[in-house]
Structures are given as structure tokens and as C-alpha cells.
Amino acid sequence: MSILIRDVLLKDKTTNIYIEDNMISEIGGPKVEAEHVLDGKGKAAIPGLINTHTHAAMTLLRSYADDYTLQEWLTNNIWPIEAKLTKDDIYWGTTLACLEMIKTGTTCFNDMYFHGEVAAKAVDEMGIRGVLSEVFFDLFDETKGEKGRKKVESGVAALREYKNGRIIPALGPHALYTVSGEGLSWVAEFAEKNDLIIHFHLAETEKENEDFLEQHKKRPAAYLDELGFLGANLVVAHCVWLNKIDIATLASKDVKISHNPQSNMKLAVGNMLHYSDLKEAGCTMSLGTDGCASNNNLDMFETMKFAALGQKLFSDDPTVMPAHETFGMATVGGARALGINAGDIKEGLLADILLLDLKKPCFTPNHNLTANIVYSANGSCVDTTICDGQILMEGGVMEGEEAIMEKAGSVAGDLVYRGQ
Ligand SMILES: [Zn+2]
């Protein structure tokens, strides 16, 4: 399929964007015809946003348990209901997540959850791009580890069956407090052999760091480095409790950081990403929403604003994390983290593009588009979402969205009922 986006605002200039198959093939060129022509007048084209930390099917637990301490939230509210999740729940939860992402301008996400093969089916049908990992934990038990490894191996094989380039298998070891050193070494080797990204939680809370230090007499980053777990294929979520030595260690191995400001604030993890230190060390940073039980939405526009404002407050310096850097984290930073050929609108890149409706109060006046995107807009400003050269949403509406919300809502109701 070919798409021509005519007379659209792209980086301060009005131009045409021509898409052939799944790639951006020409910008501003002489092409005047295509199978599908989109009128770009009154719209701005920006790259599709990239969410580098999700647990997509947790949309079913949106606003199910709020305002608890992290431990109480996890132990007494989230884990008991997650134990009741069925494959059907994962399918509908992920479908709902994809719908929300498409509607709010996310074209690629990095997911860690249960039943990756079911999530893949939802992602495939919805047309979005997903880096999908089966969550892996052994709880320091060899039998559980063996079972987990088998599930991971079969999950990766199942995802490899999709040949469309949108379903990207990855590995999702949960965290240091749920996976043994042997488990993590196995993950690192398996990733190396199979050329896979690893998605991991690190340094989310002070307690997790302190418990680890007491038990192992070394800091988590040093331990992971000795294990051979750190590398350019590793995407670590949270990372709010890092010191300068940890940061230097992660930077030296080109580990990718996923910052999740809303989840960190909502669960009051007691610290904020050390953005300036990570930037100085040369780390690639990106943004994530985390799951919908701790956010409670997947709107990356909101996440950009929280990230930037949080940094300004944390560092007592309003010049820290300016709008263009924040926007870069949600686009090029995410693409670098996940190793995809996207994150910008240029010839030869994947056609993952959004058209923003500039005829909205929050874009009026439009003195600075990037600042408006980060500080003023929200996901409802997205008019058109294109992923992999396919138009997934046009005019703010996605086909079949009402039926998806109805079904996902009833599945979520049944889940909560079973959980009682
Ligand atoms: Zn998470």
C-alpha cells in the first residue's frame, strides 16, 4: 500500500510525506498520487511514540487498587488477582492496551507479562508494534526455574512464527528479588545466542537495594556486571535508586534506561531518575508508562509531561530536561533502546507516524510545537496513527473500538469477581 500525506507540518515546514509499504520513501518529493491520500492541512506529523515499559494486560486492573503502599499494593491486591488471570483475560487486556496506545499515539511498546503468545495475537490483530516478553522468575527455586525456562523458550519460538516484523520476541526476567543469579545468567546467554532484547526491573525502591546489599555485600549493578548480564541489549525500567558508580557501570555497558515517572510518583518510591547524571554518563534514556494499575493510563504525552516536570522539581532547576530532550526520549531514545528503525520521520525509516490535530485549544497558539507536545497536549490530540505503513486510526476513531471496550470491560468485571 502507498500513502501520501499532503501539506503536513513537519519540523517547522509544510511538506508531503510519501509512504510505500511499511517505509517512509520520500519527503517533500514530486509524488502526487498514492492509493491513500491524507490531507495534512492543520496537522503536524511526528514520529509514533515508543513506550519502553509496560505490562499491557494490566489495563484490566486500571483503578482496581489505588492509594496503597507499594508492598500492600503488590502483595495484597495485585498478586492475588494476577493469580486468577486466564489467557482470555490477557488477550482482551492486551487488545484494550493496544487500542489505548493507538488512540494516544504510541506505535511501539516494550511489554513484560504472562502468556506472551496470547499478547502477540492481540498485537498482531491490532496492527501495532510490540517487543514482547514472557515474564520470567524462579523465586530461587530450581524446579520453578526449569518450568520458567521452558515457557520462555516455547514463547520465543511461538513469537518467531510471526513474520511481519511487528512482533519482536524479547526476554523478561522480572527483577533481582524474584530471579536467581543462575536464572539471570541463563537469560543473558539465551539472549546472546538468539539476539534478543532483555527487559528487566532495576533499583525501583530503596528497600530492594538495601536488602540486596545486605545479602550479597555488593550493589545490584556491580553484581549484574559480574554475572555478565549487562549489555547494549538490556532495557532496565525504573533505575531511580542508582548512585554514580552504578550509573558509570550501566553506561560502560550501554544499558538502556526506561524512565517511568508516573508509576514512581504514584507508588512513592522515594526518589527520581538521576537524569542529569545519566545524561552526563552518556546513557540512552527512554520513557515508559508501566502497567495500568500503577499509572493508570498508557498516554505517553502525559508521561512526557510528568517526566519533565518531575525532573525540574527534583533538581530544583527548571532548565533540566527541556522539551526537546523529553520528546527525544519518547521517540529516538525508545527506538534506540528497542533496536527498531524508527523514532524519527526520515526517508528509509519505518512508517510509524502520527498526525496531530493542531486545531485544538492546547495547540493554540503554536509558538513552539515541541513545547506544546510535551507541556500542553495529551493523547486525545492524536488524529491519525500510522504503524508499519498501515493507517490504524483516522479522524480520532479506530474501527471496532466500542466493541473492544465493551468486551474488555466485561472480562475485567469477571476477573475481579473471581478474585473475591
Ligand atoms: Zn513494571
Side-chain angles (χ1 to χ4, degrees), residues 53-55 112 174 199 201 204 237-238 260 263 290-291 294:
H53 184 58
T54 62
H55 309 287
M112 177 204 289
H174 180 257
H199 184 184
H201 293 99
E204 181 177 5
H238 301 306
N260 301 257
S263 170
D290 208 348
S294 60

Side-chain angles (χ1 to χ4, degrees), residues 315-342:
S315 59
D316 196 20
D317 179 355
T319 68
V320 171
M321 206 195 272
H324 67 275
E325 288 180 21
T326 316
F327 183 63
M329 288 169 79
T331 52
V332 273
R336 241 178 251 151
L338 304 182
I340 59 167
N341 184 26

Side-chain angles (χ1 to χ4, degrees), residues 176 181-182 184-185 188-189 212 216-231 234 245 249-250 252-253 255:
L176 272 171
E182 296 77 44
L184 294 171
S185 295
E189 272 170 43
F212 189 88
H216 296 266
K217 310 290 172 224
K218 61 182 77 156
R219 291 187 60 85
Y223 170 85
L224 291 170
D225 194 21
E226 279 171 32
L227 267 188
F229 189 73
L230 304 181
L234 176 63
I245 300 167
T249 307
L250 297 181
S252 73
K253 294 290 157 71
V255 172

Side-chain angles (χ1 to χ4, degrees), residues 51 54-60 62 89-109 111 113 119 122-123 126 128 132 289-292 297-299 398 404-405 408:
N51 185 345
T54 62
H55 309 287
M58 287 184 94
T59 46
L60 299 186
R62 191 195 316 271
D89 295 334
I90 304 283
Y91 172 79
W92 283 107
T94 310
T95 301
L96 176 63
C98 291
L99 171 65
E100 187 179 354
M101 287 190 266
I102 291 163
K103 297 235 357 162
T104 56
T106 291
T107 50
C108 181
F109 69 111
D111 198 53
Y113 214 49
V123 174
M126 293 296 282
I128 195 172
L132 308 175
T289 55
D290 208 348
C292 263
N297 65 36
L298 302 172
D299 185 339
M398 185 172 179
I404 291 171
M405 286 187 276

